[in-house]
Amino acid sequence: MASSTVTSSRPDRPPRPNLAFRQLRGQRSPAEFAAVIRRAALEIGEQVSCDARYIGRVEAGEIRCPNYAYERVFLHMFPGRTLTDLGFAPRSSVRGRRARDTEDAPLTCTTNPANATSETSGACEPYETQTPYDPYHPHDTYEESDVLRRAFMTSGGATVAAASLGPVGLALDASAAQRPVRRAGASDAGALEEAVRRIRLLDDRHGADGLYRRAAAPLRTAYALLDAGATRQTTADRLYSGAGELAISVGWLAHDSGRFDDARSHYAEALATARMTGDPGLEAHAFCNTAFLARDAGRPREAVRAAQAAQRVARPVGSARLMSLLALREAGGWAGLADRVGCEQTLGRAQALFERGTSEADPEWMSFYGEAELEGLEAQCWSALGDWPRAARHARRAADLQDPHFTRNIALYTAELADDLARGGRPDEAATAGMRVLDLLEEVQSSRIQTMLAATARVLLPHRRASGVSAFLERHASVPRVT
């Protein structure tokens, strides 16, 4: 077995802050700038998991040179500039430094991930992107590594690869189970965090049905990491947080694909993880999704109570946008109870909190929550209260406002619009919206959306002699159902 220690020469100075990159960010918060970078990546067909933490590491000089995907994005954003103009070191110089460090250090690189430590596995990565100066994790590679892209995505678009040794560094084969399990390091925590981002990205684009069963394997491996223990307390905290967020993501995939019992179990596991570690952000997230599930499962009073619990634990987080979303979850419960006054009051609070804007305290998982989602959730409230014209107005705005990246949400809002129009006595418009949903279902697999569309089709049956409605019903009947 490879040694769990790595000897390397300690550099003589800390990383130099990247002031040029900081200047490019301007008045935007790190989270806002990260969102701009993700949008720019989509414009050229790249996928980067940029967040506020990545921006902070670049500005602190910890990332001396980005990987090739980020390089393409940055050069697209700032045409005519080079990496050096953006404050990065030339790639050749970074490679040279890593090569010299490797020559100086008696490092053993193992090709068997089951025997590799976080240090050795990081040192053997083919990317020279992070500053060598890190007295705690000298060979950690985190976002710059391409491991998660390979392990959690295949060329099949919506397909998530089953978890293997690569993403989280644990052996899953029978022979490996006989050997002692190594303790998890920072690279494992980073891979776990990246897995959560990948699953969310794929769900945003393709929906849950093609992802759920494959996403369960990474979750099992994540909890195996927790059992193995961590090399440092900070790493342990990240592992618990990452495992909890992954449980919520897998729970959402179950929720969106109609597996409510599975979803409830995953959310409960995330809630237990949050409470064991005293993580209010994770606990609020788990309660948030529990409230959403309760509403969809026909338990509106539970939805109200879970949303109120989420708001209590979320206050220390300091995010107005988070509190706004949680208020909307509560409003959905009040609508399910047919309490129009309670719903309207809570919607007003959600809108007031939303208008306070974004902040650095906003959780990373809330990237989906913008004006479109606000409109979409309000549409669902009015629909539950039977106010079809008002619901349709908000659903139309939600579909129009949604970022094209969130294909699933566009399909969801348009399906909501079609149903509201159908129930509001506007069958031709409903059929037109339904046709748009059917177009989107060629890219999106979501039992939730299919169920909504099936309900709309039933409402439109009495109007089937109308040409537009007839065409929609015929096409809808020909679409295979995802099981």
Side-chain angles (χ1 to χ4, degrees), residues 43 192 239 309 357 411 433 444 447 477:
E43 292 172 1
L192 179 54
L239 286 171
V444 175
S447 294

Side-chain angles (χ1 to χ4, degrees), residues 291-305:
F292 198 14
L293 175 64
R295 189 208 70 171
D296 286 352
R299 299 190 299 270
R301 197 169 301 279
E302 180 186 330
V304 170
R305 292 177 63 85

Side-chain angles (χ1 to χ4, degrees), residues 19-215:
L19 300 180
F21 197 84
R22 172 63 187 89
Q23 187 174 14
L24 291 170
R25 175 160 67 87
Q27 298 300 312
R28 289 170 290 204
S29 71
E32 290 170 336
F33 195 42
V36 171
I37 291 171
R38 292 195 300 271
R39 285 195 294 271
L42 292 172
E43 292 172 1
I44 59 172
E46 283 292 349
Q47 296 174 348
V48 296
S49 301
C50 190
D51 59 10
R53 184 173 182 269
Y54 180 89
I55 300 300
R57 294 178 67 219
V58 171
E59 292 179 358
E62 294 178 14
I63 297 173
R64 297 177 61 210
C65 185
N67 72 7
Y68 291 107
Y70 275 104
E71 178 181 359
R72 286 189 288 272
V73 175
F74 293 151
L75 297 184
H76 167 68
M77 292 175 65
F78 306 107
R81 303 195 193 194
T82 65
L83 285 181
T84 305
D85 296 332
L86 302 181
F88 293 108
R91 193 174 300 282
S92 58
S93 71
V94 178
R95 274 199 177 128
R97 176 64 174 272
R98 175 62 64 88
R100 290 192 297 274
D101 287 350
T102 304
E103 290 171 2
D104 294 341
L107 174 64
T108 301
C109 177
T110 176
T111 58
N112 184 354
N115 295 335
T117 66
S118 60
E119 291 89 347
T120 57
S121 61
C124 298
E125 283 291 337
Y127 298 93
E128 299 76 29
T129 52
Q130 181 172 335
T131 175
Y133 186 88
D134 187 342
Y136 300 106
H137 307 295
H139 296 283
D140 186 20
T141 52
Y142 196 53
E143 283 105 339
E144 298 74 39
S145 171
D146 199 37
V147 166
L148 265 296
R149 184 189 298 267
R150 295 194 302 270
F152 284 88
M153 295 181 65
T154 69
S155 59
T159 304
V160 179
S164 61
L165 309 181
V168 286
L170 281 180
L172 301 179
D173 57 83
S175 61
Q178 309 279 332
R179 300 192 292 269
V181 178
R182 66 176 181 82
R183 301 181 75 187
S187 60
D188 299 301
L192 179 54
E193 292 160 350
E194 180 71 0
V196 175
R197 297 188 187 101
R198 274 301 152 209
I199 289 173
R200 289 173 182 161
L201 175 66
L202 289 169
D203 175 52
D204 290 341
R205 291 187 171 183
H206 304 290
D209 286 2
L211 307 177
Y212 172 62
R213 294 196 182 282
R214 291 183 176 90

